[in-house]
Amino acid sequence: MKNDIEYYYNIKIDNLEQLNNCYYFSYNQNPYYLVELNRPVEDLKDILNVCEELKKKNIKCHMFMLNKDQKIITQINNINYLILKPLENEKDEVDLIDIVK
């Protein structure tokens, strides 16, 4: 999987660990997750729209990394994956006030 990530994203990753159904790695000293897309591809557009609206309202959310073809979805071994860059401090908690905003 490490070689696939490096090939499809044109990056050199520091390490790769599998955590449940996703992979965790570091790139430029930042954490990233490679996660399987367990929803229909058509849902991704709505998910991206929600993320954009959250960002406009200064609500934190993970960012998506584009692959070398400038696409969000990468197919590896016939499985659709996404790479997510977690929040700056993924231990930050989001409370009800953040959600209501």
Side-chain angles (χ1 to χ4, degrees):
M1 189 60 77
K2 182 177 188 283
N3 290 337
D4 292 319
I5 295 169
E6 291 179 339
Y7 172 76
Y8 286 110
Y9 291 89
N10 287 327
I11 60 174
K12 180 74 174 157
I13 61 176
D14 301 327
N15 60 357
L16 181 68
E17 296 178 37
Q18 188 169 359
L19 302 167
N20 300 322
N21 294 331
C22 70
Y23 295 87
Y24 168 86
F25 65 92
S26 295
Y27 170 63
N28 286 341
Q29 299 178 342
N30 293 304
Y32 290 87
Y33 295 102
L34 177 75
V35 295
E36 185 176 338
L37 179 61
N38 292 322
R39 300 178 70 137
V41 173
E42 296 78 28
D43 288 356
L44 189 56
K45 184 176 180 178
D46 291 333
I47 293 168
L48 292 171
N49 287 337
V50 168
C51 288
E52 285 303 312
E53 286 301 314
L54 290 171
K55 288 178 190 176
K56 287 178 187 175
K57 296 177 182 187
N58 292 322
I59 297 172
K60 300 173 185 178
C61 63
H62 295 331
M63 295 178 62
F64 295 90
M65 179 183 231
L66 299 177
N67 63 23
K68 66 180 184 158
D69 299 321
Q70 299 301 301
K71 295 181 180 178
I72 291 176
I73 296 173
T74 302
Q75 194 171 74
I76 302 171
N77 299 324
N78 294 320
I79 299 172
N80 289 329
Y81 287 97
L82 308 166
I83 288 187
L84 298 172
K85 183 176 190 258
L87 301 170
E88 296 86 29
N89 185 352
E90 61 186 298
K91 294 191 178 18
D92 283 352
E93 291 186 20
V94 176
D95 60 24
L96 185 57
I97 293 172
D98 292 325
I99 295 170
V100 169
K101 287 181 185 176

